[in-house]
Amino acid sequence: MKILAFDFDGVISDSVDVHFRVFNMICRKYGLSPVNGRESYAKLFGKNFYESAVEIGMKREMIPELIKDMTEKCWKERISMFPGAKE
C-alpha cells in the first residue's frame, strides 16, 4: 500500500487570511480580544496551540468548542489554491 499525504492549509491553499479573519470573529464571540496581525496569529501555532491560547486569555475548557466553531465557519468560506497548486 502506498500513501500520499498533502499539507493543505498554507501549502496547497492560501487559507491564512480566512483562518485569521474567522479566528478573530470567534474571539469576539467568546468575549476575547482579537489577535493583532497575522504574525501574532501565526505565533499561536509556533508551539502548543492550547498553551498559546491560554496565554492570550482563553479558558482551557473553552478551546475545544472554539476550535469546533472555527472549523465549521472556515468550511463555509471560499479558500483559494495557490497558483500552480492544481497542476
Side-chain angles (χ1 to χ4, degrees):
M1 176 194 313
K2 292 183 180 182
I3 297 174
L4 185 60
F6 293 95
D7 185 352
F8 184 75
D9 284 319
V11 176
I12 295 174
S13 69
D14 190 7
S15 57
V16 174
D17 287 334
V18 169
H19 287 181
F20 175 65
R21 183 175 42 77
V22 170
F23 182 80
N24 277 336
M25 180 176 63
I26 297 295
C27 282
R28 288 183 196 97
K29 176 181 173 181
Y30 286 87
L32 302 166
S33 296
V35 176
N36 292 321
R38 287 175 60 170
E39 285 183 25
S40 295
Y41 177 70
K43 285 181 184 177
L44 291 172
F45 301 93
K47 54 183 179 178
N48 182 292
F49 175 75
Y50 277 71
E51 298 305 320
S52 297
V54 169
E55 287 175 11
I56 66 166
M58 291 183 199
K59 293 182 176 145
R60 190 173 297 278
E61 60 273 7
M62 174 194 304
I63 297 171
E65 183 64 27
L66 182 140
I67 291 171
K68 179 179 179 265
D69 202 1
M70 185 171 171
T71 301
E72 289 173 0
K73 287 187 177 21
C74 282
W75 275 108
K76 294 176 184 176
E77 295 288 326
R78 173 113 171 114
I79 297 175
S80 304
M81 292 172 64
F82 282 115
K86 185 176 180 180
E87 291 77 22

